[in-house]
């Protein structure tokens, strides 16, 4: 993403710092790597078109970073999708992310993203697993099956 409010440059800088700390990180970017980052060997563009490919993309990530500088609190598909498939999430404060299911940075900057990634890496496996399980639980109501049931129930209720 090339727009500054998307936070891509902050993510790249944070991951570069993790790499300078000795973390052998590869940054997978879905759909489009901005031109200024296309020559960096540890940044790879992927094209996860379709639901199953997108789910596989999220599952392949040890940590999914969802960064942005606007619309905090708004529903955010990438955050919801990462949580739903059980991927550890480091994110701006987008719904449905919470302190119970993700590592949230309140201000989008390379420093805050770096700290959130470091917190995720340095946490115990049990703590990370508790966030993963909570993320799956917190997104169950967003499934198509659940949404369709609620919709049909509302039609039945309104029909009376």
């Amino acid at each position: 993403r090339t727009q500054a409010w998307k936070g891509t440059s902050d993510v790249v800088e944070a991951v570069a710092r993790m790499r300078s700390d000795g973390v052998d990180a590869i940054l997978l970017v879905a759909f489009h790597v901005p031109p200024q980052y296309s020559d960096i060997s540890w940044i790879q563009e992927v094209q996860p078109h379709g639901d199953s490919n997108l789910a596989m993309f999220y599952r392949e990530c040890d940590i999914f970073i969802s960064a942005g500088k606007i619309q905090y609190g708004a529903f955010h598909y990438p955050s919801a999708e990462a949580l739903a498939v059980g991927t550890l999430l480091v994110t701006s404060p987008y719904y449905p992310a919470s302190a119970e299911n993700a590592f949230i940075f309140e201000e989008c900057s390379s420093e805050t993203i770096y700290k959130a990634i470091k917190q995720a890496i340095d946490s115990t496996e049990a703590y990370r697993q508790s966030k993963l399980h909570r993320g799956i639980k917190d997104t169950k109501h967003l499934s198509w099956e659940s949404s369709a049931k609620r919709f049909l129930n509302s039609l039945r209720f309104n029909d009376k």
Side-chain angles (χ1 to χ4, degrees), residues 87-103:
T87 297
L88 199 59
L89 179 62
V90 169
T91 184
S92 294
Y94 293 127
Y95 182 79
S98 70
E100 290 78 28
N101 62 29
F103 294 90

Side-chain angles (χ1 to χ4, degrees), residues 12-27 40-43 114:
V12 171
E13 290 173 24
V15 173
R17 185 169 168 196
M18 294 302 300
R19 289 179 58 82
S20 71
D21 288 351
V23 176
D24 187 21
I26 295 172
L27 183 61
I40 300 175
S41 63
W42 48 267
I43 298 178
Y114 169 82

Side-chain angles (χ1 to χ4, degrees), residues 1 10 12 16 24 27 47 67 74-75 87 91 97 104-105 117 125 130 132 143 152-153 159:
R1 312 283 189 223
D10 297 310
V12 171
D24 187 21
L27 183 61
Q47 299 292 324
F75 184 84
T87 297
T91 184
I104 297 178
F105 48 91
I117 296 169
E125 181 63 23
S130 72
L132 296 177
S143 72
L152 291 173
N153 285 337
D159 193 33

Side-chain angles (χ1 to χ4, degrees), residues 2-159:
T2 57
Q3 302 94 335
W5 61 269
K6 292 279 191 175
T8 303
S9 61
D10 297 310
V11 172
V12 171
E13 290 173 24
V15 173
R17 185 169 168 196
M18 294 302 300
R19 289 179 58 82
S20 71
D21 288 351
V23 176
D24 187 21
I26 295 172
L27 183 61
L28 301 177
V29 179
F31 304 114
H32 176 73
V33 173
Q36 67 267 35
Y37 305 121
S38 62
D39 291 336
I40 300 175
S41 63
W42 48 267
I43 298 178
Q44 299 174 5
E45 182 177 304
V46 294
Q47 299 292 324
H49 294 284
D51 291 345
S52 60
N53 288 330
L54 193 57
M56 190 176 355
F57 164 71
Y58 287 117
R59 287 185 184 110
E60 287 175 354
C61 298
D62 294 321
I63 297 173
F64 183 78
I65 306 168
S66 181
K69 298 175 185 268
I70 62 172
Q71 301 175 329
Y72 292 161
F75 184 84
H76 193 252
Y77 277 99
S79 295
E81 292 163 345
L83 290 170
V85 299
T87 297
L88 199 59
L89 179 62
V90 169
T91 184
S92 294
Y94 293 127
Y95 182 79
S98 70
E100 290 78 28
N101 62 29
F103 294 90
I104 297 178
F105 48 91
E106 295 296 331
E107 175 190 333
C108 184
S109 70
S110 62
E111 180 65 20
T112 58
I113 295 169
Y114 169 82
K115 286 179 179 176
I117 296 169
K118 188 148 179 43
Q119 181 186 12
I121 291 171
D122 292 346
S123 294
T124 65
E125 181 63 23
Y127 186 66
R128 287 192 298 270
Q129 287 297 316
S130 72
K131 286 191 180 280
L132 296 177
H133 292 297
R134 182 63 186 260
I136 292 168
K137 179 182 177 217
D138 289 350
T139 54
K140 285 265 189 237
H141 73 284
L142 299 172
S143 72
W144 282 117
E145 180 180 351
S146 178
S147 297
K149 283 180 184 177
R150 283 194 312 276
F151 178 71
L152 291 173
N153 285 337
S154 73
L155 292 177
R156 287 184 195 106
F157 175 76
N158 290 328
D159 193 33

